[in-house]
Amino acid sequence: MNDETPICSAKGCRTAAVWVLAWNNPKLHTPERRKTWLACDEHREHLTQFLGMRGFLKDVVALAEWERRAAAGE
Ligand SMILES: [Zn+2]
């Protein structure tokens, strides 16, 4: 593991992330804006529920797929 390794966003977790949770808070962000959290396998469900309960969650994408999309400019 090195500084380039994306780490899970869950509090206290130092596990390498494998998921990207894209979200938007309509009170703070314009509709097309996307904030992102990173999640390991263990915390994906917890973080998804946290955002989902608040109506913020937009997308859950595998990190590799997210990076592929970013590289493609999608
Ligand atoms: Zn985690």
Side-chain angles (χ1 to χ4, degrees):
M1 203 178 283
N2 58 47
D3 289 344
E4 309 259 313
T5 305
I7 298 295
C8 175
S9 301
K11 197 168 185 226
C13 184
R14 302 293 302 154
T15 306
V18 285
W19 297 98
V20 176
L21 282 60
W23 61 278
N24 173 283
N25 180 345
K27 291 195 177 126
L28 299 178
H29 308 126
T30 53
E32 59 288 349
R33 179 98 182 267
R34 289 293 176 273
K35 303 287 288 179
T36 55
W37 279 356
L38 299 168
C40 65
D41 266 331
E42 187 187 342
H43 289 113
R44 181 180 67 132
E45 188 168 347
H46 172 75
L47 294 172
T48 298
Q49 284 182 0
F50 183 93
L51 292 169
M53 272 189 327
R54 288 158 179 78
F56 294 174
L57 188 65
K58 296 296 180 191
D59 208 1
V60 180
V61 184
L63 181 61
E65 171 65 12
W66 183 268
E67 289 178 338
R68 191 198 65 75
R69 285 187 199 176
E74 285 174 34

